[in-house]
Each structure stands twice: as C-alpha cells, then as structure tokens.
Amino acid sequence: MLRIAACGILGLGAALLIAALLLTTYTSGKIEQIPLNIDNSLISDGTGTALDPASLSGERFVIDRDVPVVSQQQVSVESPSNADVVTLQVGTTVRRTDKQQDNGLLLAMVDTVTLNRQTAMAVSDDTHPGGSVQKPRSIEDTKPPTNVALPHDGLSYRFPFNTEKKTYPYFDPIAQRAFDANYEGEEDVNGLTTYRFTQNVGYDADGELVEPVKYASLYDNNEDSETTARAVQWGVEAADPEEPITMTRYYAAQRTFWVDPVSGVIVKAEEHANHYYSRDELRPEVTMADYTVTSNEETVESQVAAARDERDRIGLWSSVLPITFTAAGLIALVGGALLGSFSLRAESALIDPGEGESGGFFAGLGGRRAEDTGPMPAAEAETEKLPAQRPDLHPDPGPPDRR
C-alpha cells in the first residue's frame, strides 16, 4: 500500500509540473485575449464652440461659444465573434447638453470593426472588409439601419496586450483611415501605471492645422460634406450678400490615450475635435463643432477596474497558478520519493530483517534470527551431582535364627 501511495504521489507531482508548463506556454497565450462580454458606456464631457442647428433655417448661422458638450460611446460585442476574433459595435454621439434632442446633436455614428483578439488589430481582406458604418438616421426614423462597408486597419478602441512603448496605427472612423498614435511616457491614473499615447489627425505636434481631412459623407448626395448657402448666412463678406457660396466641411482632431500596458484597455481618453466649413482647408471660416472632452471620473473608475480585472485574470493563469503548481509538484515528487524509499526499506525488513545488535527494524517486535538463538540462561547453570548407590549383589544374611 505504501508503494502504491508513493507512485500515486509521484504521478500527481509530475502532472502538476506538466500543468505548470502548459499554463506558462500555451494557456497564458489563450488567456491574453479581448473578452467576448464587453458592454461599456464611456462618457466624456467638456466644452466647445458649436453651430446652433436652429439657425440653419434663419438669416444667419449662429455660432455659440463655451457650450457644454458630452460625448458618449456605447461599446458592445456583435457577430462574428469567436476564439480568434471579436467584433465591436461602437455607437458614438456628441451633443450639446444645453439643447434638446436633434437640436443638440452635433455628431452621431455607429462604427463596427472586427479585431484580432490577441493583437487588437483590425481583421480585413478582399472578401471581408473588417468593418462598416451606419448611414445617419434621425431620431424618429424607425427603419432598419443601413450599413456601409468601411475597411479598417490598425487598432480600434483598444491597444494590444503587453502594449509596447512605440508608435501604433490607430483608426479614425470619421477620417476613415489610421493615423499614428505615438508613445509619450508613463502616467499614473487612479493608482494604475499607464502609457500615454497621442494622435494627431490633420494637426502637427504644435497644434497647428497642416493637413485636415475632407469630411467623408455617409449620405448618397454628399449633403453634409459640401454645403451651399448665401454669403449673408455664412457671415462672410461678398459683393452681393445673396451670392451663393459653397463651402467644404473639414475635420481635424487631437487625441490622448492613457493605456493599461498589460491588458491594452484605454482607461482614460481626451479628444479635441474640430469640424468646420471653409473654402480653404487651412483657413476655417465657419465652425460647426470645435470641442474638447475628457473621460469623466465614473468612466475612468470603471475602465481602471476593468483593466485591473484583466490584470488579475492574466496574473492568475500566467503567474499564480504556474508557481503554485510548480511548488506543489516539487513537494509531491520529493514526498513521493521519500515515501517510496521508506516502503522499500519496510518491505525489505519484513522479508529479511536487518543485521546488527538491534536485530533490524522489527527486532523489537520479537523477531529473532535462528542462528542467533543460543542456550537459554537456565540451561547454562551448573547442575549439582548427587552420589548414586550401587546395588548390593551379596546381601548380608544377618545372625542365624536360634530358635
């Protein structure tokens, strides 16, 4: 029984060491994947300058300054999503909080992208564009949304696991192409060490317009990329105030991301976006929306918590369990070897008790070797010899009878 128990413990130790090896090589790579249960609402707030939509039907476009602005992103997982890829659908709205419903809506977009779950890079090829956007709809529109294929490349809404201190391509769905996100340094966010990345779309490092992007319309007739209105409405000088002037909509942005380098979760974001109309791309004439928003405290706390959960999950499978299994496996191997050695000695002692003065392990239990048994002490004592009387062969007849 001891030998069987020893073999079982040795087998358990070997199994634990193999499990530890698999966790550090194969399983940890499978754990470092974008979750399939993402359902987040990310809110950023700030201020900006914005066109009053109500003035579009008036005599002159009205631009309001220092208006409160809120940006909201609703992130969810859609199909196709499996062991290798995850599809994120992100609905983004930017609105003025001092206006109601459509009058306060500055931007609305639904972007869908399929990402590699390990690298966070967009998955796109000739037959699978890897992304799409929905055509704009009004709040009252009840028709099903119409998707327009939009090939994505680079990162979207996340960074890769084990983010490095380098430049990554990060996709902008409004500009419809990727721009560099450059590593700038480390920064603490709510007790979490993060990597800070900055991205410029149409701006240079000094915040000057250098190459703004012509707004890519999602309407069939490009009605929101070029607009024609009277000079007096635009508020520009002209020989004839009623002269129709066509202006093009341009877009530029600056972003800062604070990224958890372990999980790739963006725990905080700041965005400066500038939408404007102009006849010269480098000389904005009429502002549509120029705002700066930053993740609010609730969003930062929830994203930091999500990053810590990812860290704990990765640490459990890649560090804690492998170390625990390795230690337990080594202890089991040593214990099994000792138990096996003891069982062999015990079996040998039962079959052939050991030599020596102690008579072996089981000598105290009454076992004696046959060759070691000598005469008992009582048999070695001297015996007193008593004289024996010899028989009288010629007895004396005694005196004669005188009767």
Side-chain angles (χ1 to χ4, degrees):
M1 292 299 293
L2 290 176
R3 184 164 53 187
I4 293 174
C7 291
I9 295 174
L10 288 173
L12 175 62
L16 288 172
L17 290 179
I18 293 174
L21 180 62
L22 291 176
L23 286 173
T24 55
T25 55
Y26 176 79
T27 308
S28 61
K30 296 297 182 180
I31 292 299
E32 293 179 348
Q33 293 185 328
I34 299 174
L36 297 177
N37 60 347
I38 297 176
D39 187 9
N40 298 330
S41 182
L42 311 178
I43 300 176
S44 302
D45 49 34
T47 59
T49 299
L51 175 68
D52 184 358
S55 67
L56 294 177
S57 58
E59 290 297 320
R60 184 184 180 93
F61 299 151
V62 177
I63 309 300
D64 297 326
R65 300 183 181 278
D66 296 325
V67 298
V69 177
V70 170
S71 171
Q72 181 173 0
Q73 285 186 335
Q74 187 65 44
V75 186
S76 60
V77 175
E78 303 294 332
S79 179
S81 295
N82 51 44
D84 299 318
V85 299
V86 59
T87 299
L88 299 180
Q89 185 178 81
V90 183
T92 302
T93 59
V94 180
R95 63 176 58 250
R96 297 174 54 170
T97 58
D98 61 337
K99 300 289 184 178
Q100 299 297 321
Q101 297 183 345
D102 282 353
N103 287 332
L105 188 62
L106 301 178
L107 175 69
M109 172 175 285
V110 179
D111 179 36
T112 302
V113 59
T114 300
L115 305 175
N116 182 294
R117 293 184 64 193
Q118 289 185 321
T119 66
M121 290 287 183
V123 179
S124 179
D125 53 40
D126 294 338
T127 59
H128 185 273
S132 64
V133 290
Q134 288 184 8
K135 284 188 175 182
R137 297 187 303 161
S138 64
I139 295 178
E140 295 80 12
D141 193 350
T142 59
K143 296 180 181 179
T146 301
N147 291 327
V148 179
L150 176 60
H152 287 57
D153 63 300
L155 305 175
S156 293
Y157 307 107
R158 288 184 69 102
F159 278 70
F161 287 88
N162 303 310
T163 302
E164 300 179 30
K165 300 177 180 180
K166 66 177 188 180
T167 297
Y168 289 94
Y170 192 92
F171 191 78
D172 186 318
I174 298 177
Q176 299 188 357
R177 60 189 178 94
F179 295 83
D180 287 344
N182 302 304
Y183 172 78
E184 297 292 339
E186 295 185 6
E187 192 168 325
D188 182 274
V189 177
N190 286 17
L192 186 71
T193 299
T194 64
Y195 290 173
R196 187 177 71 256
F197 292 85
T198 59
Q199 181 190 50
N200 289 312
V201 178
Y203 284 105
D204 62 14
D206 297 325
E208 297 292 332
L209 282 172
V210 290
E211 194 178 352
V213 178
K214 183 178 179 180
Y215 188 81
S217 176
L218 298 177
Y219 290 100
D220 294 332
N221 56 0
N222 294 330
E223 63 186 62
D224 58 347
S225 63
E226 288 187 348
T227 301
T228 300
R230 295 174 296 145
V232 66
Q233 286 181 293
W234 287 118
V236 299
E237 294 183 359
D240 181 3
E242 300 299 318
E243 177 188 354
I245 296 177
T246 299
M247 291 195 183
T248 302
R249 179 176 172 180
Y250 292 96
Y251 162 75
Q254 293 175 300
R255 295 184 180 91
T256 302
F257 305 104
W258 287 265
V259 180
D260 171 36
V262 177
S263 65
V265 173
I266 300 174
V267 300
K268 181 181 177 181
E270 182 179 89
E271 179 181 29
H272 168 221
N274 187 6
H275 299 259
Y276 62 92
Y277 288 99
S278 178
R279 289 166 289 183
D280 181 346
E281 61 179 14
L282 297 181
R283 298 178 59 186
E285 295 183 79
V286 178
T287 299
M288 177 185 173
D290 185 0
Y291 58 88
T292 300
V293 291
T294 306
S295 300
N296 65 15
E297 189 59 33
E298 291 77 9
T299 295
V300 173
E301 289 178 356
S302 66
Q303 289 298 93
V304 168
R308 291 191 186 277
D309 288 343
E310 286 293 305
R311 283 190 174 207
D312 291 343
R313 184 171 64 91
I314 295 170
L316 175 65
W317 288 96
S318 63
S319 298
V320 176
L321 288 181
I323 293 174
T324 302
F325 284 1
T326 299
L330 292 176
I331 292 174
L333 288 178
V334 173
L338 292 176
L339 183 60
S341 176
F342 175 78
S343 67
L344 291 176
R345 292 200 309 271
E347 184 178 0
S348 175
L350 285 173
I351 297 174
D352 185 16
E355 298 180 358
E357 295 181 357
S358 62
F361 178 77
F362 292 93
L365 301 179
R368 293 174 57 85
R369 298 178 60 181
E371 58 269 27
D372 290 342
T373 58
M376 296 296 289
E380 296 180 358
E382 294 185 1
T383 305
E384 181 180 1
K385 297 182 179 181
L386 298 178
Q389 293 185 352
R390 301 179 62 181
D392 189 359
L393 301 177
H394 303 283
D396 186 4
D401 188 1
R402 295 179 182 245
R403 292 181 303 177

